[in-house]
Amino acid sequence: MEQRYQSFSDFYPFYLSQHQDRTCRRLHVIGSTMVLAVLLWAIGTQTWSGLFLLPLVGYGFAWVGHFRFERNRPATFTYPLYSLMGDWVMYWQTLTGKLPF
C-alpha cells in the first residue's frame, strides 16, 4: 500500500528520491524555465491562448525525464499539488546551488 503524505515537508524527501537522475532533474529545470518564459510571453503579449502551452511544456519535459531517465512513475499522478510545489522548490534549490544541476 502506498504511503499517504499529510504535509509537504513529509512529502518532499520522497519527491527528491524520485529525482536522483541528473538528466531528469535537468529536464525539470528546463521545463520550469520554459513555463516561466511562456507565462511572461503570454502576459507581455496578452496572448492568453498561449497559457494552454504551460502544462505541455512543464509536464512534457518532466515526464520524459521520469519515463526515459529516472524510469519511475511521476509523483504528480498521485500527489498533484505536492508535486507541483516540489517542482518549484527543487527548481529554486537548483538555481541557488543547494541541489546539483
Side-chain angles (χ1 to χ4, degrees), residues 23-73:
T23 302
C24 180
R25 285 195 316 272
R26 287 176 176 167
L27 287 168
H28 273 266
V29 168
I30 291 167
S32 295
T33 301
M34 290 182 67
V35 162
L36 293 174
V38 168
L39 181 61
L40 290 174
W41 166 77
I43 292 170
T45 63
Q46 296 185 355
T47 308
W48 308 119
S49 61
L51 296 175
F52 289 107
L53 294 172
L54 294 178
L56 179 67
V57 171
Y59 287 121
F61 280 88
W63 290 355
V64 167
H66 283 283
F67 293 126
R68 173 67 177 95
F69 297 99
E70 198 71 58
R71 300 201 188 277
N72 64 14
R73 183 176 179 262

